[in-house]
């Protein structure tokens, strides 16, 4: 039979992996519980105890992922079968990352919540990156960006839906990054009263521009609003916000030329008029306010 040192060691081990109920030693040193019953029946080697432990309903209910990994490995799948200590370490690290990001607690208050991520082969580092790139990014974004994200990707309202989207193992890191940049482009455009669809937002997100550069581009397009309005006596050129977007973000030669042509024409007209105001088809532009 195992000596007192081994009994105490095994009791500490079970306690450390959240299975202390299987074996207790009271203040008088009297053992009881499942582990003691194993000793009583003659099972006292570490290997035998480990095998017996993993067959208990208590262990299976607490660590179902280990049984899933064992089954996958037995079927020839390439997988690492984790120990209970490794599972607990994973849960601790990922749980802290989720808490730090302010995710709803119900997303990580049960072992099964972590086990899904383990079986999806998402390492703690990968989970943390997804939180930073997806959940945390959008959750902390301006309202316009978050709304654009909701509209473009239909994740539903609430942080729970957003977290599920960010932690979806079917998505790659590149997809998550592109989605957040796309939402940023669409949201910042709305801030400047420029409405673009998802495809346009994606195209802008794919450009080698920083977020500050994207915001500056939309600011510039918004500043062209008067240019888009055709003044009386000006050449009939159809200029719209899309013209501005094409010129600002894509360097479209025709769009740039059309805008420059109207600016030059307006400057010429301005020189021959009093005060520099330009009469457009929708009213007086450039006259200022009292």
């Amino acid at each position: 039979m195992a000596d007192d040192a081994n009994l105490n060691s095994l009791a500490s081990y079970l306690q450390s992996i959240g299975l202390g109920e299987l074996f207790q030693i009271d203040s008088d040193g009297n053992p009881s519980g499942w582990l003691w019953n194993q000793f009583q029946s003659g099972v006292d080697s570490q290997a035998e105890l480990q095998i017996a432990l993993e067959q208990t309903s208590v262990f299976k209910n607490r660590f179902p992922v280990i049984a899933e990994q064992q089954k996958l490995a037995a079927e020839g799948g390439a997988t690492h079968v984790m120990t209970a200590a490794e599972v607990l370490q994973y849960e601790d690290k990922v749980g802290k990352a989720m808490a730090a990001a302010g995710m709803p607690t119900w997303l990580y208050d049960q072992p099964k919540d972590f086990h899904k991520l383990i079986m999806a082969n998402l390492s703690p580092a990968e989970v943390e990156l997804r939180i930073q790139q997806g959940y945390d990014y959008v959750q902390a974004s301006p309202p316009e960006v978050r709304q654009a994200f909701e509209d473009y990707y239909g994740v539903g309202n609430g942080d729970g839906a957003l977290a599920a989207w960010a932690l979806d193992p079917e998505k790659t890191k590149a997809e998550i990054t592109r989605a957040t940049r796309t939402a940023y482009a669409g949201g910042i455009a709305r801030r400047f009263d420029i409405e673009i669809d998802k495809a346009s937002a994606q195209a802008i997100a794919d450009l080698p521009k920083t977020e500050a550069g994207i915001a500056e581009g939309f600011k510039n397009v918004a500043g062209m609003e008067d240019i888009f309005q055709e003044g009386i006596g000006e050449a009939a050129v159809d200029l719209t916000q899309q013209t501005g977007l094409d010129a600002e973000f894509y360097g479209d030669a025709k769009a740039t030329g059309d805008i420059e042509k109207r600016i030059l024409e307006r400057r010429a007209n301005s020189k021959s008029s009093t005060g520099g105001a330009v009469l457009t088809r929708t009213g007086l532009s450039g006259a200022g306010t009292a």
Side-chain angles (χ1 to χ4, degrees):
M1 183 176 292
D3 57 28
D4 289 344
N6 284 336
L7 286 177
N8 287 325
S9 176
L10 286 170
S12 296
Y13 170 70
L14 290 173
Q15 186 67 38
S16 72
I17 63 174
L19 301 176
E21 65 180 279
L22 292 177
F23 181 61
Q24 303 87 33
I25 298 179
D26 64 23
S27 57
D28 294 325
N30 300 313
S32 63
W34 172 87
L35 181 59
W36 180 244
N37 293 337
Q38 297 302 305
F39 287 141
Q40 293 290 78
S41 64
V43 179
D44 62 358
S45 75
Q46 185 72 38
E48 288 179 305
L49 285 171
Q50 186 66 37
I51 293 173
L53 170 65
E54 293 182 2
Q55 298 307 309
T56 65
S57 59
V58 175
F59 186 92
K60 289 180 178 179
N61 289 336
R62 178 60 183 82
F63 299 103
V65 69
I66 293 178
E68 289 185 52
Q69 290 176 329
Q70 290 173 334
K71 179 181 178 182
L72 185 59
E75 295 172 347
T79 186
H80 165 65
V81 179
M82 301 171 74
T83 65
E86 288 175 326
V87 174
L88 288 170
Q89 185 179 36
Y90 182 100
E91 293 172 355
D92 179 67
K93 190 167 186 178
V94 172
K96 287 179 178 176
M98 291 180 170
M103 284 186 168
T105 55
W106 55 264
L107 283 169
Y108 53 94
D109 63 354
Q110 296 295 326
K112 64 182 181 180
D113 299 324
F114 301 99
H115 296 182
K116 291 178 181 178
L117 300 175
I118 292 174
M119 291 308 296
N121 295 317
L122 295 180
S123 69
E126 173 74 7
V127 173
E128 290 184 53
L129 185 60
R130 286 166 176 265
I131 290 173
Q132 294 168 4
Q133 290 183 316
Y135 176 87
D136 198 33
Y137 178 95
V138 178
Q139 194 258 359
S141 292
E144 300 95 336
V145 173
R146 181 151 186 169
Q147 186 58 54
F149 189 89
E150 295 276 351
D151 294 343
Y152 292 163
Y153 298 99
V155 298
N157 295 318
D159 290 345
L162 175 58
W165 181 91
L167 297 177
D168 182 352
E170 296 299 317
K171 292 182 174 62
T172 65
K173 289 181 286 186
E175 287 176 316
I176 292 173
T177 298
R178 189 186 192 202
T180 56
R181 277 180 59 86
T182 297
Y184 178 83
I188 296 302
R190 293 176 182 181
R191 176 171 288 185
F192 290 102
D193 293 323
I194 299 172
E195 191 66 35
I196 57 176
D197 60 18
K198 180 181 177 182
S200 296
Q202 283 182 334
I204 292 172
D206 289 340
L207 295 173
K209 283 181 174 289
T210 63
E211 290 185 350
I214 291 174
E216 184 67 19
F218 285 123
K219 180 180 179 181
N220 292 339
V221 174
M224 301 177 194
E225 194 60 41
D226 283 348
I227 302 299
F228 302 147
Q229 299 179 42
E230 180 186 334
I232 295 176
E234 292 181 343
V237 178
D238 186 20
L239 300 185
T240 65
Q241 281 187 342
Q242 187 59 53
T243 309
L245 293 171
D246 290 341
E248 177 68 28
F249 288 101
Y250 308 114
D252 183 274
K254 184 179 185 307
T256 301
D258 287 344
I259 291 173
E260 290 177 347
K261 180 178 179 180
R262 176 159 291 174
I263 292 174
L264 291 173
E265 183 179 24
R266 188 160 294 179
R267 284 176 180 171
N269 291 339
S270 179
K271 289 181 180 179
S272 61
S273 64
T274 302
V278 177
L279 184 62
T280 69
R281 297 188 187 281
T282 58
L284 194 63
S285 174
T289 56

